Amino acid sequence: NLKGNKIGRDGGIMLSATLQINSSLSDLNIADTDQTNESLIALSTVLHDNASIKKLDASNPLLQSEGEETTCHFANMLRTNYSLSELHLCKHGIMDFGASRLAD
């Protein structure tokens, strides 16, 4: 549980690299850790192949744009990752387009 620890972009990218080889972590809470578009995209990319994470809370990031880029990356990840059963994306600014991508 890293909630509230301001690891930021670099910490998020390092965490993503670690998840490429870690197969024992099942619950990851990175809410309020100052994640950026870049670090969230890195995380969603790694989670395509990581079947150990069952719960992910990536709420309240520091998004640099008003687009739904990170939401679309998480939606793409969900198409191949069947083990993730709980995903929290509060305060990601999800609108109709992103919600439809997540629902697909």
Side-chain angles (χ1 to χ4, degrees):
N1 182 355
L2 297 171
K3 183 178 181 177
N5 289 289
K6 304 303 183 187
I7 61 172
R9 174 195 164 273
D10 292 340
I13 290 173
M14 284 186 218
L15 179 63
S16 297
T18 301
L19 290 175
Q20 289 180 315
I21 56 173
N22 183 305
S23 61
S24 60
L25 187 65
S26 62
D27 189 353
L28 180 60
N29 186 338
I30 56 167
D32 299 308
T33 58
D34 292 347
Q35 295 309 297
T36 64
N37 292 42
E38 188 177 355
S39 60
L40 290 171
I41 290 169
L43 177 62
S44 65
T45 300
V46 167
L47 291 179
H48 276 277
D49 299 318
N50 183 313
S52 69
I53 301 289
K54 307 294 183 224
K55 296 180 188 179
L56 173 63
D57 188 342
S59 299
N60 202 21
L62 295 177
L63 301 178
Q64 290 90 12
S65 66
E66 292 187 24
E68 297 180 90
E69 183 180 16
T70 58
T71 303
C72 291
H73 280 274
F74 277 108
N76 287 336
M77 176 270 298
L78 290 172
R79 289 191 184 113
T80 60
N81 183 324
Y82 299 108
S83 63
L84 188 66
S85 60
E86 193 172 317
L87 176 63
H88 297 268
L89 298 175
C90 298
K91 298 187 180 181
H92 273 250
I94 298 172
M95 301 185 69
D96 291 345
F97 180 76
S100 68
R101 293 285 192 215
L102 287 168
D104 283 344

Coordinates of all heavy atoms in Angstrom, one line a residue:
N1 N 0.8 -1.2 0.0 CA 0.0 0.0 0.0 C 0.9 1.2 0.0 O 1.5 1.6 1.0 CB -0.9 0.0 1.2 CG -1.9 1.1 1.3 OD1 -1.8 2.0 0.4 ND2 -2.7 1.1 2.2
L2 N 0.9 1.9 -1.1 CA 1.8 3.1 -1.3 C 0.9 4.4 -1.2 O 1.4 5.5 -1.4 CB 2.5 3.1 -2.6 CG 3.5 1.9 -2.7 CD1 4.1 1.9 -4.1 CD2 4.7 2.1 -1.7
K3 N -0.4 4.3 -0.9 CA -1.3 5.4 -0.9 C -0.7 6.6 -0.2 O -0.3 6.5 1.0 CB -2.6 5.0 -0.3 CG -3.6 6.1 -0.4 CD -5.0 5.7 0.2 CE -5.9 6.9 0.1 NZ -7.2 6.5 0.5
G4 N -0.7 7.7 -0.8 CA -0.3 9.0 -0.2 C 1.2 9.2 -0.2 O 1.7 10.3 0.1
N5 N 2.0 8.2 -0.6 CA 3.5 8.4 -0.7 C 3.8 9.0 -2.0 O 3.5 8.5 -3.1 CB 4.2 7.1 -0.6 CG 4.1 6.5 0.8 OD1 4.8 7.1 1.7 ND2 3.3 5.5 1.0
K6 N 4.3 10.2 -2.0 CA 4.5 11.0 -3.3 C 5.7 10.5 -4.1 O 6.7 11.1 -4.2 CB 4.7 12.5 -2.9 CG 3.5 13.0 -2.1 CD 2.2 12.9 -2.8 CE 1.1 13.5 -2.1 NZ -0.2 13.3 -2.6
I7 N 5.6 9.2 -4.6 CA 6.7 8.6 -5.4 C 6.8 9.2 -6.8 O 7.8 9.1 -7.4 CB 6.5 7.1 -5.5 CG1 5.2 6.7 -6.2 CG2 6.6 6.5 -4.1 CD1 5.1 5.2 -6.4
G8 N 5.7 9.9 -7.2 CA 5.7 10.6 -8.5 C 5.9 9.7 -9.7 O 5.9 8.5 -9.7
R9 N 6.2 10.4 -10.8 CA 6.4 9.8 -12.1 C 7.6 8.8 -12.1 O 7.4 7.6 -12.5 CB 6.8 10.9 -13.2 CG 7.1 10.4 -14.5 CD 7.8 11.5 -15.4 NE 8.5 10.9 -16.5 CZ 9.7 10.5 -16.5 NH1 10.4 10.6 -15.4 NH2 10.3 10.0 -17.6
D10 N 8.7 9.2 -11.6 CA 9.9 8.3 -11.6 C 9.6 7.0 -10.7 O 10.0 5.9 -11.2 CB 11.1 9.0 -11.1 CG 11.6 10.1 -12.1 OD1 11.2 10.0 -13.3 OD2 12.3 11.0 -11.7
G11 N 9.0 7.2 -9.6 CA 8.7 6.1 -8.7 C 7.7 5.2 -9.4 O 7.8 3.9 -9.3
G12 N 6.7 5.7 -10.1 CA 5.7 4.9 -10.8 C 6.4 4.1 -11.9 O 6.0 3.0 -12.2
I13 N 7.3 4.7 -12.6 CA 8.0 4.0 -13.7 C 8.8 2.9 -13.2 O 8.9 1.8 -13.7 CB 8.7 5.0 -14.6 CG1 7.8 5.8 -15.4 CG2 9.7 4.2 -15.5 CD1 8.4 7.0 -16.2
M14 N 9.5 3.1 -12.0 CA 10.3 2.1 -11.4 C 9.4 1.0 -10.9 O 9.8 -0.2 -11.0 CB 11.1 2.7 -10.3 CG 12.3 3.5 -10.7 SD 13.3 3.9 -9.2 CE 13.8 5.6 -9.7
L15 N 8.3 1.3 -10.3 CA 7.4 0.3 -9.9 C 6.9 -0.6 -11.0 O 6.8 -1.8 -10.9 CB 6.2 1.0 -9.2 CG 5.1 0.1 -8.7 CD1 5.6 -0.9 -7.6 CD2 3.9 0.9 -8.1
S16 N 6.6 0.1 -12.2 CA 6.2 -0.7 -13.4 C 7.3 -1.7 -13.8 O 7.0 -2.8 -14.1 CB 5.8 0.3 -14.5 OG 4.7 1.1 -14.1
A17 N 8.5 -1.2 -13.8 CA 9.6 -2.1 -14.1 C 9.7 -3.3 -13.2 O 9.9 -4.4 -13.6 CB 10.9 -1.3 -14.2
T18 N 9.5 -3.1 -11.9 CA 9.5 -4.1 -10.9 C 8.4 -5.1 -11.2 O 8.6 -6.3 -11.0 CB 9.4 -3.5 -9.5 OG1 10.5 -2.6 -9.3 CG2 9.4 -4.6 -8.4
L19 N 7.2 -4.6 -11.6 CA 6.1 -5.5 -11.8 C 6.3 -6.4 -13.0 O 5.5 -7.4 -13.2 CB 4.8 -4.7 -11.9 CG 4.3 -4.0 -10.7 CD1 3.1 -3.1 -11.0 CD2 4.0 -5.1 -9.6
Q20 N 7.2 -6.1 -13.9 CA 7.5 -7.0 -15.0 C 8.1 -8.3 -14.5 O 7.9 -9.3 -15.2 CB 8.5 -6.3 -15.9 CG 7.9 -5.2 -16.7 CD 9.0 -4.6 -17.7 OE1 10.1 -4.3 -17.3 NE2 8.5 -4.3 -18.9
I21 N 8.7 -8.3 -13.4 CA 9.3 -9.6 -12.9 C 8.7 -10.1 -11.6 O 8.9 -11.2 -11.2 CB 10.9 -9.4 -12.7 CG1 11.2 -8.3 -11.7 CG2 11.6 -9.2 -14.0 CD1 12.6 -8.2 -11.3
N22 N 7.8 -9.3 -11.0 CA 7.2 -9.7 -9.7 C 5.9 -10.4 -10.0 O 5.0 -9.9 -10.7 CB 6.9 -8.4 -8.8 CG 6.3 -8.8 -7.5 OD1 5.3 -9.5 -7.4 ND2 7.0 -8.3 -6.5
S23 N 5.8 -11.6 -9.4 CA 4.5 -12.4 -9.6 C 3.8 -12.7 -8.3 O 3.0 -13.6 -8.3 CB 4.9 -13.7 -10.4 OG 5.7 -14.5 -9.6
S24 N 4.2 -12.0 -7.2 CA 3.6 -12.3 -6.0 C 2.7 -11.2 -5.4 O 1.8 -11.5 -4.6 CB 4.7 -12.7 -4.9 OG 5.5 -11.6 -4.7
L25 N 2.9 -10.0 -5.9 CA 2.0 -8.9 -5.4 C 0.6 -9.0 -6.0 O 0.5 -9.1 -7.2 CB 2.7 -7.6 -5.8 CG 2.1 -6.3 -5.3 CD1 2.2 -6.2 -3.7 CD2 2.7 -5.1 -5.9
S26 N -0.4 -9.0 -5.1 CA -1.7 -9.1 -5.6 C -2.6 -7.9 -5.5 O -3.6 -7.7 -6.1 CB -2.4 -10.3 -5.0 OG -2.6 -10.1 -3.6
D27 N -2.2 -7.0 -4.6 CA -3.0 -5.8 -4.3 C -2.1 -4.6 -4.3 O -1.1 -4.5 -3.5 CB -3.6 -6.0 -2.9 CG -4.7 -4.9 -2.6 OD1 -4.8 -3.9 -3.4 OD2 -5.3 -5.0 -1.5
L28 N -2.4 -3.6 -5.2 CA -1.5 -2.5 -5.3 C -2.4 -1.2 -5.2 O -3.3 -1.0 -6.0 CB -0.8 -2.5 -6.7 CG 0.1 -1.3 -7.0 CD1 1.2 -1.2 -6.0 CD2 0.7 -1.5 -8.4
N29 N -2.0 -0.4 -4.3 CA -2.7 0.9 -4.1 C -1.7 2.0 -4.3 O -0.8 2.3 -3.4 CB -3.3 1.0 -2.6 CG -4.2 2.2 -2.5 OD1 -4.1 3.2 -3.2 ND2 -5.1 2.1 -1.5
I30 N -1.8 2.7 -5.4 CA -1.0 3.9 -5.7 C -1.8 5.2 -5.8 O -1.4 6.1 -6.5 CB -0.1 3.6 -7.0 CG1 -1.0 3.3 -8.2 CG2 0.9 2.6 -6.7 CD1 -0.3 3.4 -9.5
A31 N -2.9 5.2 -5.1 CA -3.8 6.4 -5.0 C -3.0 7.5 -4.4 O -2.2 7.3 -3.4 CB -5.0 6.1 -4.3
D32 N -3.1 8.7 -4.9 CA -2.5 9.9 -4.3 C -1.0 9.8 -4.2 O -0.4 10.3 -3.2 CB -3.1 10.2 -2.9 CG -4.6 10.4 -2.9 OD1 -5.0 11.3 -3.7 OD2 -5.3 9.8 -2.1
T33 N -0.4 9.2 -5.2 CA 1.1 9.1 -5.2 C 1.7 10.0 -6.3 O 2.8 9.8 -6.7 CB 1.5 7.7 -5.4 OG1 1.0 7.1 -6.6 CG2 1.1 6.8 -4.2
D34 N 0.9 10.9 -6.9 CA 1.4 11.9 -7.9 C 1.8 11.2 -9.2 O 2.8 11.5 -9.8 CB 2.5 12.7 -7.4 CG 2.1 13.7 -6.3 OD1 0.9 13.9 -6.1 OD2 2.9 14.3 -5.6
Q35 N 1.0 10.2 -9.6 CA 1.3 9.5 -10.9 C 1.0 10.4 -12.0 O 0.0 11.2 -12.0 CB 0.6 8.2 -10.9 CG 1.0 7.2 -9.9 CD 2.5 7.0 -9.9 OE1 3.1 6.6 -10.9 NE2 3.2 7.4 -8.8
T36 N 1.7 10.3 -13.1 CA 1.5 11.1 -14.3 C 1.0 10.3 -15.4 O 0.9 9.0 -15.3 CB 2.8 11.8 -14.7 OG1 3.7 10.8 -15.1 CG2 3.4 12.6 -13.6
N37 N 0.6 10.9 -16.5 CA 0.2 10.2 -17.7 C 1.3 9.1 -18.1 O 0.9 7.9 -18.3 CB 0.1 11.1 -18.9 CG -1.1 12.1 -18.8 OD1 -1.3 12.6 -17.7 ND2 -1.8 12.3 -19.8
E38 N 2.5 9.5 -18.1 CA 3.6 8.6 -18.5 C 3.7 7.4 -17.6 O 3.8 6.3 -18.0 CB 4.9 9.4 -18.5 CG 6.1 8.6 -19.1 CD 7.3 9.4 -19.2 OE1 7.4 10.6 -18.9 OE2 8.3 8.8 -19.6
S39 N 3.7 7.6 -16.3 CA 3.8 6.5 -15.3 C 2.6 5.6 -15.3 O 2.8 4.4 -15.2 CB 4.2 7.0 -13.9 OG 3.1 7.8 -13.4
L40 N 1.4 6.2 -15.5 CA 0.2 5.3 -15.6 C 0.2 4.5 -16.9 O -0.3 3.4 -16.9 CB -1.0 6.2 -15.5 CG -1.2 6.8 -14.1 CD1 -2.4 7.8 -14.1 CD2 -1.5 5.7 -13.1
I41 N 0.7 5.1 -18.0 CA 0.7 4.3 -19.2 C 1.7 3.2 -19.1 O 1.5 2.1 -19.5 CB 1.1 5.3 -20.4 CG1 -0.1 6.2 -20.7 CG2 1.4 4.5 -21.7 CD1 0.1 7.3 -21.6
A42 N 2.9 3.4 -18.4 CA 3.9 2.4 -18.2 C 3.2 1.3 -17.4 O 3.4 0.1 -17.7 CB 5.1 3.0 -17.5
L43 N 2.5 1.6 -16.3 CA 1.9 0.6 -15.5 C 0.8 -0.2 -16.2 O 0.8 -1.4 -16.1 CB 1.2 1.3 -14.3 CG 0.4 0.4 -13.3 CD1 1.3 -0.6 -12.7 CD2 -0.3 1.3 -12.3
S44 N 0.0 0.5 -17.0 CA -1.0 -0.3 -17.7 C -0.4 -1.2 -18.8 O -0.9 -2.3 -19.1 CB -2.0 0.7 -18.4 OG -1.4 1.5 -19.4
T45 N 0.7 -0.8 -19.4 CA 1.4 -1.6 -20.3 C 2.0 -2.9 -19.7 O 1.8 -4.0 -20.2 CB 2.6 -0.8 -21.0 OG1 2.0 0.3 -21.6 CG2 3.3 -1.6 -22.0
V46 N 2.6 -2.7 -18.5 CA 3.1 -3.9 -17.8 C 2.0 -4.8 -17.3 O 2.1 -6.0 -17.4 CB 3.9 -3.4 -16.5 CG1 4.2 -4.5 -15.6 CG2 5.2 -2.7 -17.0
L47 N 0.8 -4.3 -17.0 CA -0.3 -5.1 -16.5 C -0.9 -5.9 -17.6 O -1.7 -6.8 -17.3 CB -1.3 -4.3 -15.8 CG -0.8 -3.7 -14.4 CD1 -1.9 -2.9 -13.8 CD2 -0.4 -4.8 -13.5
H48 N -0.6 -5.7 -18.9 CA -1.1 -6.5 -19.9 C -0.7 -8.0 -19.7 O -1.4 -8.9 -19.9 CB -0.5 -6.1 -21.3 CG -1.2 -5.0 -22.0 ND1 -2.3 -5.2 -22.7 CD2 -1.0 -3.7 -22.0 CE1 -2.7 -4.1 -23.2 NE2 -1.9 -3.1 -22.8
D49 N 0.5 -8.2 -19.1 CA 1.1 -9.5 -18.9 C 1.2 -9.9 -17.5 O 1.6 -11.1 -17.2 CB 2.5 -9.6 -19.6 CG 2.4 -9.4 -21.1 OD1 1.4 -9.9 -21.7 OD2 3.2 -8.6 -21.6
N50 N 0.9 -9.1 -16.5 CA 1.1 -9.4 -15.1 C -0.2 -10.0 -14.6 O -1.2 -9.2 -14.5 CB 1.5 -8.2 -14.3 CG 1.7 -8.5 -12.9 OD1 0.9 -9.2 -12.2 ND2 2.9 -8.0 -12.3
A51 N -0.3 -11.3 -14.3 CA -1.5 -11.9 -13.9 C -1.6 -12.0 -12.4 O -2.6 -12.5 -11.9 CB -1.6 -13.3 -14.5
S52 N -0.7 -11.4 -11.6 CA -0.7 -11.5 -10.2 C -1.6 -10.4 -9.5 O -2.2 -10.6 -8.5 CB 0.7 -11.6 -9.6 OG 1.3 -10.3 -9.7
I53 N -1.6 -9.3 -10.1 CA -2.3 -8.1 -9.6 C -3.9 -8.4 -9.7 O -4.4 -8.5 -10.8 CB -2.0 -6.8 -10.2 CG1 -0.5 -6.5 -10.1 CG2 -2.8 -5.6 -9.7 CD1 0.0 -6.2 -8.7
K54 N -4.5 -8.4 -8.6 CA -6.0 -8.6 -8.6 C -6.7 -7.3 -8.3 O -7.9 -7.1 -8.8 CB -6.4 -9.6 -7.5 CG -5.6 -11.0 -7.5 CD -5.9 -11.7 -8.8 CE -5.2 -13.1 -8.7 NZ -4.6 -13.5 -10.0
K55 N -6.1 -6.4 -7.5 CA -6.8 -5.2 -7.2 C -5.8 -4.0 -7.4 O -4.6 -4.1 -7.0 CB -7.1 -5.1 -5.7 CG -8.2 -6.1 -5.3 CD -8.4 -5.9 -3.8 CE -9.3 -7.0 -3.2 NZ -9.5 -6.8 -1.8
L56 N -6.2 -3.0 -8.1 CA -5.4 -1.8 -8.4 C -6.2 -0.6 -8.1 O -7.3 -0.4 -8.6 CB -4.9 -1.8 -9.8 CG -4.2 -0.6 -10.3 CD1 -2.9 -0.4 -9.5 CD2 -3.9 -0.6 -11.8
D57 N -5.6 0.3 -7.3 CA -6.2 1.6 -7.0 C -5.2 2.7 -7.5 O -4.1 2.8 -6.9 CB -6.5 1.8 -5.5 CG -7.3 3.1 -5.3 OD1 -7.3 4.0 -6.2 OD2 -7.9 3.2 -4.2
A58 N -5.5 3.3 -8.6 CA -4.7 4.3 -9.2 C -5.4 5.7 -9.2 O -5.3 6.5 -10.1 CB -4.3 3.9 -10.6
S59 N -6.1 5.9 -8.2 CA -7.0 7.1 -8.1 C -6.1 8.4 -7.8 O -5.0 8.3 -7.2 CB -8.0 7.0 -6.9 OG -8.8 5.9 -7.1
N60 N -6.7 9.5 -8.2 CA -6.2 10.8 -8.0 C -4.8 11.0 -8.5 O -3.9 11.5 -7.8 CB -6.2 11.1 -6.5 CG -6.2 12.6 -6.2 OD1 -6.5 13.4 -7.1 ND2 -5.8 13.0 -5.0
P61 N -4.6 10.8 -9.8 CA -3.3 11.1 -10.4 C -3.1 12.6 -10.7 O -4.0 13.3 -10.6 CB -3.4 10.3 -11.7 CG -4.8 10.3 -12.1 CD -5.6 10.3 -10.8
L62 N -1.9 12.9 -11.1 CA -1.6 14.3 -11.6 C -1.6 14.2 -13.2 O -0.5 14.1 -13.8 CB -0.3 14.7 -11.1 CG -0.1 14.9 -9.6 CD1 1.3 15.4 -9.2 CD2 -1.1 16.0 -9.1
L63 N -2.7 14.2 -13.8 CA -2.8 14.2 -15.2 C -2.4 15.5 -15.9 O -2.9 16.5 -15.4 CB -4.2 13.7 -15.7 CG -4.6 12.3 -15.1 CD1 -6.0 12.0 -15.6 CD2 -3.6 11.2 -15.5
Q64 N -1.6 15.4 -16.9 CA -1.2 16.7 -17.6 C -2.1 17.2 -18.7 O -1.9 18.2 -19.2 CB 0.2 16.5 -18.2 CG 1.3 16.3 -17.2 CD 1.6 14.9 -16.8 OE1 1.0 13.9 -17.4 NE2 2.3 14.6 -15.8
S65 N -3.1 16.3 -19.0 CA -4.0 16.8 -20.1 C -5.4 16.4 -19.7 O -5.6 15.6 -18.8 CB -3.6 16.1 -21.4 OG -3.9 14.7 -21.3
E66 N -6.4 17.0 -20.4 CA -7.8 16.7 -20.1 C -8.3 15.6 -20.9 O -9.5 15.2 -20.8 CB -8.6 18.0 -20.3 CG -8.3 19.1 -19.3 CD -9.2 20.2 -19.4 OE1 -10.3 20.1 -19.9 OE2 -8.8 21.3 -18.9
G67 N -7.4 15.0 -21.8 CA -7.9 13.9 -22.6 C -8.0 12.6 -21.8 O -7.7 12.6 -20.6
E68 N -8.4 11.6 -22.4 CA -8.6 10.3 -21.7 C -7.6 9.3 -22.1 O -7.9 8.1 -22.1 CB -10.1 9.8 -22.0 CG -11.1 10.7 -21.4 CD -12.5 10.3 -21.7 OE1 -13.0 9.6 -20.9 OE2 -13.0 10.6 -22.8
E69 N -6.4 9.7 -22.3 CA -5.3 8.8 -22.8 C -5.1 7.7 -21.8 O -5.0 6.5 -22.2 CB -4.0 9.7 -23.0 CG -2.9 8.9 -23.6 CD -1.6 9.7 -23.7 OE1 -1.6 10.8 -23.2 OE2 -0.8 9.2 -24.4
T70 N -4.9 8.0 -20.5 CA -4.6 6.9 -19.6 C -5.8 6.0 -19.4 O -5.6 4.8 -19.3 CB -4.3 7.5 -18.2 OG1 -5.3 8.3 -17.7 CG2 -3.0 8.3 -18.2
T71 N -7.0 6.5 -19.5 CA -8.2 5.6 -19.4 C -8.2 4.6 -20.6 O -8.5 3.5 -20.4 CB -9.5 6.5 -19.5 OG1 -9.4 7.4 -18.4 CG2 -10.7 5.6 -19.4
C72 N -7.8 5.1 -21.8 CA -7.8 4.2 -23.0 C -6.7 3.2 -22.8 O -6.9 2.0 -23.2 CB -7.6 5.0 -24.2 SG -9.0 6.0 -24.6
H73 N -5.6 3.5 -22.2 CA -4.5 2.5 -22.0 C -5.0 1.5 -21.0 O -4.7 0.3 -21.2 CB -3.3 3.2 -21.5 CG -2.5 3.8 -22.6 ND1 -1.6 3.1 -23.4 CD2 -2.5 5.0 -23.2 CE1 -1.1 3.8 -24.3 NE2 -1.6 5.0 -24.2
F74 N -5.7 1.9 -19.9 CA -6.2 0.9 -19.0 C -7.3 0.0 -19.6 O -7.3 -1.2 -19.4 CB -6.8 1.6 -17.7 CG -5.7 1.9 -16.7 CD1 -5.4 3.2 -16.5 CD2 -5.1 0.9 -16.0 CE1 -4.4 3.6 -15.6 CE2 -4.1 1.3 -15.0 CZ -3.8 2.6 -14.8
A75 N -8.1 0.6 -20.5 CA -9.1 -0.2 -21.2 C -8.5 -1.2 -22.1 O -8.9 -2.4 -22.2 CB -10.0 0.8 -22.0
N76 N -7.4 -0.9 -22.8 CA -6.7 -1.8 -23.6 C -6.1 -2.9 -22.8 O -6.1 -4.1 -23.2 CB -5.6 -1.1 -24.4 CG -6.1 -0.3 -25.6 OD1 -7.2 -0.5 -26.0 ND2 -5.4 0.7 -26.0
M77 N -5.5 -2.6 -21.6 CA -5.0 -3.6 -20.7 C -6.0 -4.6 -20.3 O -5.8 -5.8 -20.2 CB -4.4 -2.9 -19.5 CG -3.8 -3.8 -18.4 SD -5.0 -4.2 -17.2 CE -5.4 -2.7 -16.4
L78 N -7.2 -4.1 -20.0 CA -8.3 -5.0 -19.5 C -8.7 -6.0 -20.6 O -9.3 -7.0 -20.2 CB -9.5 -4.1 -19.1 CG -9.3 -3.3 -17.8 CD1 -10.5 -2.4 -17.6 CD2 -9.1 -4.3 -16.6
R79 N -8.4 -5.7 -21.8 CA -8.8 -6.7 -22.9 C -7.9 -7.9 -22.8 O -8.3 -9.0 -23.3 CB -8.6 -6.0 -24.3 CG -9.7 -5.0 -24.6 CD -9.6 -4.6 -26.0 NE -10.6 -3.5 -26.2 CZ -10.3 -2.2 -26.5 NH1 -9.0 -1.9 -26.7 NH2 -11.2 -1.3 -26.6
T80 N -6.8 -7.8 -22.2 CA -5.9 -9.0 -22.2 C -5.6 -9.5 -20.8 O -5.2 -10.6 -20.6 CB -4.5 -8.7 -22.8 OG1 -3.9 -7.6 -22.1 CG2 -4.7 -8.4 -24.3
N81 N -5.9 -8.7 -19.8 CA -5.6 -9.1 -18.4 C -6.9 -9.5 -17.8 O -7.8 -8.7 -17.4 CB -5.0 -7.9 -17.6 CG -4.7 -8.2 -16.2 OD1 -5.4 -9.0 -15.5 ND2 -3.6 -7.7 -15.7
Y82 N -7.1 -10.8 -17.6 CA -8.4 -11.3 -17.1 C -8.3 -11.5 -15.5 O -9.3 -11.9 -14.9 CB -8.7 -12.6 -17.7 CG -9.0 -12.4 -19.2 CD1 -8.1 -12.9 -20.2 CD2 -10.1 -11.8 -19.7 CE1 -8.3 -12.8 -21.5 CE2 -10.3 -11.6 -21.0 CZ -9.4 -12.1 -21.9 OH -9.6 -11.9 -23.3
S83 N -7.1 -11.3 -14.9 CA -7.0 -11.6 -13.5 C -7.3 -10.4 -12.7 O -7.6 -10.5 -11.5 CB -5.6 -12.0 -13.2 OG -4.6 -11.0 -13.5
L84 N -7.3 -9.2 -13.2 CA -7.6 -8.0 -12.5 C -9.1 -7.9 -12.2 O -9.8 -7.8 -13.2 CB -7.1 -6.7 -13.2 CG -7.2 -5.4 -12.5 CD1 -6.2 -5.4 -11.3 CD2 -6.8 -4.2 -13.4
S85 N -9.5 -8.0 -11.0 CA -10.9 -8.0 -10.6 C -11.4 -6.7 -10.1 O -12.6 -6.5 -10.0 CB -11.2 -9.1 -9.7 OG -10.5 -9.0 -8.5
E86 N -10.5 -5.8 -9.7 CA -10.9 -4.5 -9.1 C -10.0 -3.4 -9.5 O -8.8 -3.5 -9.4 CB -10.9 -4.7 -7.6 CG -11.6 -3.6 -6.8 CD -11.7 -3.9 -5.3 OE1 -11.9 -5.0 -4.9 OE2 -11.4 -2.9 -4.5
L87 N -10.6 -2.4 -10.2 CA -9.8 -1.3 -10.7 C -10.4 0.0 -10.3 O -11.6 0.3 -10.6 CB -9.7 -1.4 -12.2 CG -9.0 -0.2 -12.9 CD1 -7.5 -0.2 -12.5 CD2 -9.1 -0.4 -14.4
H88 N -9.7 0.9 -9.6 CA -10.2 2.2 -9.1 C -9.4 3.3 -9.9 O -8.2 3.3 -9.9 CB -9.9 2.4 -7.6 CG -10.6 1.4 -6.8 ND1 -11.9 1.6 -6.3 CD2 -10.3 0.1 -6.4 CE1 -12.3 0.6 -5.6 NE2 -11.3 -0.4 -5.6
L89 N -10.2 4.1 -10.6 CA -9.7 5.2 -11.4 C -10.4 6.5 -11.1 O -10.7 7.3 -11.9 CB -9.8 4.9 -12.9 CG -9.1 3.6 -13.4 CD1 -9.4 3.4 -14.9 CD2 -7.6 3.8 -13.3
C90 N -10.6 6.7 -9.8 CA -11.3 7.9 -9.3 C -10.4 9.1 -9.7 O -9.2 9.1 -9.7 CB -11.5 7.9 -7.8 SG -12.5 6.6 -7.3
K91 N -11.1 10.2 -10.1 CA -10.5 11.5 -10.5 C -9.5 11.4 -11.7 O -8.5 12.1 -11.8 CB -9.7 12.1 -9.3 CG -10.7 12.4 -8.1 CD -10.0 13.2 -7.0 CE -11.0 13.4 -5.9 NZ -10.5 14.2 -4.8
H92 N -9.9 10.5 -12.6 CA -9.2 10.4 -13.9 C -9.8 11.2 -15.0 O -9.4 11.2 -16.1 CB -9.1 8.9 -14.3 CG -7.9 8.2 -13.8 ND1 -6.8 7.8 -14.5 CD2 -7.7 7.8 -12.5 CE1 -6.0 7.2 -13.7 NE2 -6.4 7.1 -12.5
G93 N -10.9 11.8 -14.6 CA -11.7 12.7 -15.6 C -12.3 11.8 -16.7 O -12.3 12.2 -17.8
I94 N -12.8 10.6 -16.3 CA -13.4 9.8 -17.3 C -14.7 10.3 -17.8 O -15.6 10.7 -17.0 CB -13.6 8.3 -16.8 CG1 -12.2 7.8 -16.3 CG2 -14.3 7.5 -17.8 CD1 -12.3 6.5 -15.6
M95 N -14.8 10.4 -19.2 CA -16.0 11.0 -19.8 C -16.6 9.8 -20.6 O -16.3 8.7 -20.5 CB -15.7 12.2 -20.6 CG -15.1 13.3 -19.6 SD -14.7 14.8 -20.4 CE -16.3 15.5 -20.7
D96 N -17.6 10.2 -21.5 CA -18.3 9.2 -22.2 C -17.4 8.3 -23.1 O -17.5 7.1 -23.1 CB -19.3 9.8 -23.2 CG -20.5 10.5 -22.4 OD1 -20.7 10.2 -21.2 OD2 -21.2 11.3 -23.0
F97 N -16.4 8.9 -23.8 CA -15.5 8.1 -24.6 C -14.7 7.1 -23.8 O -14.7 5.9 -24.1 CB -14.6 9.1 -25.4 CG -13.6 8.3 -26.3 CD1 -14.0 7.8 -27.5 CD2 -12.3 8.2 -25.9 CE1 -13.2 7.1 -28.3 CE2 -11.4 7.5 -26.7 CZ -11.8 7.0 -27.9
G98 N -14.1 7.5 -22.7 CA -13.3 6.6 -21.9 C -14.2 5.6 -21.2 O -13.8 4.4 -21.1
A99 N -15.4 5.9 -20.8 CA -16.3 5.0 -20.2 C -16.7 3.9 -21.2 O -16.7 2.7 -20.8 CB -17.5 5.7 -19.6
S100 N -16.9 4.3 -22.4 CA -17.3 3.3 -23.4 C -16.1 2.4 -23.7 O -16.3 1.2 -23.9 CB -17.8 3.9 -24.7 OG -16.8 4.6 -25.4
R101 N -14.9 2.9 -23.7 CA -13.7 2.1 -23.9 C -13.5 1.1 -22.8 O -13.2 -0.1 -23.0 CB -12.4 2.9 -24.0 CG -12.4 3.8 -25.2 CD -12.0 2.9 -26.4 NE -11.7 3.8 -27.4 CZ -12.0 3.6 -28.7 NH1 -12.6 2.5 -29.0 NH2 -11.6 4.4 -29.6
L102 N -13.7 1.5 -21.5 CA -13.6 0.6 -20.4 C -14.7 -0.5 -20.4 O -14.5 -1.6 -20.0 CB -13.7 1.4 -19.1 CG -12.5 2.2 -18.7 CD1 -12.9 3.2 -17.6 CD2 -11.3 1.4 -18.4
A103 N -15.9 -0.1 -20.9 CA -17.0 -1.1 -20.9 C -16.9 -2.1 -22.0 O -17.4 -3.2 -22.0 CB -18.3 -0.3 -21.1
D104 N -16.1 -1.8 -23.1 CA -15.9 -2.8 -24.2 C -15.3 -4.1 -23.7 O -14.5 -4.2 -22.9 CB -15.0 -2.2 -25.3 CG -15.8 -1.2 -26.1 OD1 -17.0 -1.2 -26.1 OD2 -15.1 -0.4 -26.8

